[in-house]
Amino acid sequence: MKKELLKKLPKVDVLLKNEELKELILSEGKEPVKEAVNDVVESIRQDVLNGVITDEISMDKRISGIIAEIGTKASKEDYSTLEGVINATGIVLHTNLGRAPIPRRLVKKLSDCLSGYMNLEYNLEKGARGERYEHIEKIICEITGAEAAMAVNNNASAVLLMCSAIGKRREIIVSRGEQIEIGGKFRIPDIIKRSNAKMIEVGTTNKTHLSDYEDNITDKTSAILKVHTSNYKVVGFTDSVEREDLVKLAHKNDIPVIEDLGSGVLVDLSRYGLRHEPTVQESVAAGVDLVSFSGDKLLGGTQAGIIVGKKKYIDMCKKHPLTRAMRIDKMQALLIAEIFAMYRDKAYAVKNIPVLSMLTASKEELTLKAKALKERIGKLPANVSLSIIDTENLAGGGSLPDEVLKGVAIAIEDSKVSANKHTANLRKADKPIIARCEGNSTILELRTIDESEFEIVADICRKEFK
Ligand SMILES: *Cc1c(COP(=O)(O)O)cnc(C)c1O
């Protein structure tokens, strides 16, 4: 019987001459269609061999729908292995999962602009060449209180640029307590070395005093660098110098203070139940001459390294040849301008920028979300138990390192299948879900699952836990 059925399989080259598929080739390209034809024919063959298709009626039925099946497959076929995933880890700034999700209204604006041209470097009023940074500078200055601003591709490049433009083969003073590695080989001493400036280390790991800086300022000093120790904390007998004092000392000696602020918070997080994180505005107000921070950490936007500060020093950065090598593209320019505009109303920003709304979500809100998702999942078989549990979440991305957030999760335990197997399967779902195991439970953290994703999460869970 199998042999008879297999004889009915259409030939690939015959299929490719089908009129509908010829049209599909025009819209999707030849390769994806050819691949889809091969895949579909092969999958029917396998179904026959494995006894899924056992008689002529079901064989004929499957073959009569073959063109449609190929069409669906070809238009779904995707060469890119990049895809959207559901973050059920509870880690808000998950560097492996692309850090900050972009606010929806920005995505809409971006998609409206991207398929056509943009006035990226064109001044519509003058009808002449414009400046890429003009679109972002005014709004960044308005929000941060800085005199001038610019942006490069990410904060790592921003730090390298600042040290290169200001350091100029002279000396940069850094505290030993701030010689950090951020991860991905980004180490402050290496960056300074690359910038061709000489690093002068002062103080000790746990204590650096103002006099440590003062004693090391010479006529070779080009700047004092301050670094936010984002992802680690020295606790106990510690001391570091206040920004204001550092600025006073530096300015008395006619040198600037530059600061790598890391995350770049624009709102006072302590007003939302989190620990206070130094804001960009505080650095600017303290008189720091150049401050850099990431665009996709607590700011909640796209990857970028934003630099704000005194015009004199921003101009030195803008003129530096590295700026061209690190420049932002049109997507980043648009997203930076738009995310800063959202901060005109701080409460609005906290509510509508996903990173901030997720970070500030209370335990009560998360519990409500957990109940809603549980309801959507509905009844599961007897071997599966679902419960709502208290957990602990992290901000991630080197931000708020010692802040443990109260989390709420759904824990699903299956007496027949291991949680390891389940989490592996969830990663392979149509929309991959990234969850963790705890004992034999699969844990889905509500903090990082958006309500708009509930339906698909519930759907996938029902299929997985059976
Ligand atoms: C994250 C971080 C960086 C690197 O920023 P990217 O935008 O990821 O390049 C640099 N410095 C500090 C202090 C950071 O926290």
Side-chain angles (χ1 to χ4, degrees), residues 423-437:
T423 49
N425 287 343
L426 290 177
R427 291 197 300 271
K428 286 183 221 140
D430 276 345
K431 177 103 178 186
I433 299 177
I434 316 300
R436 71 167 194 280
C437 309

Side-chain angles (χ1 to χ4, degrees), residues 416-427:
K416 287 192 190 154
V417 181
S418 76
N420 262 325
K421 178 78 184 145
H422 280 306
T423 49
N425 287 343
L426 290 177
R427 291 197 300 271

Side-chain angles (χ1 to χ4, degrees), residues 99 154-156 180 182 186 227-228 230 260 262 294 296-297 304:
R99 285 200 188 148
N154 56 16
N155 189 34
I180 52 165
I182 303 298
F186 181 85
V227 184
H228 189 304
S230 298
D260 170 9
S294 283
D296 57 354
K297 290 187 181 170

Side-chain angles (χ1 to χ4, degrees), residues 70 177 218 230 242 286 376 417 452:
I70 291 166
T218 68
S230 298
E242 292 293 331
R376 285 277 182 101
V417 181
S452 63

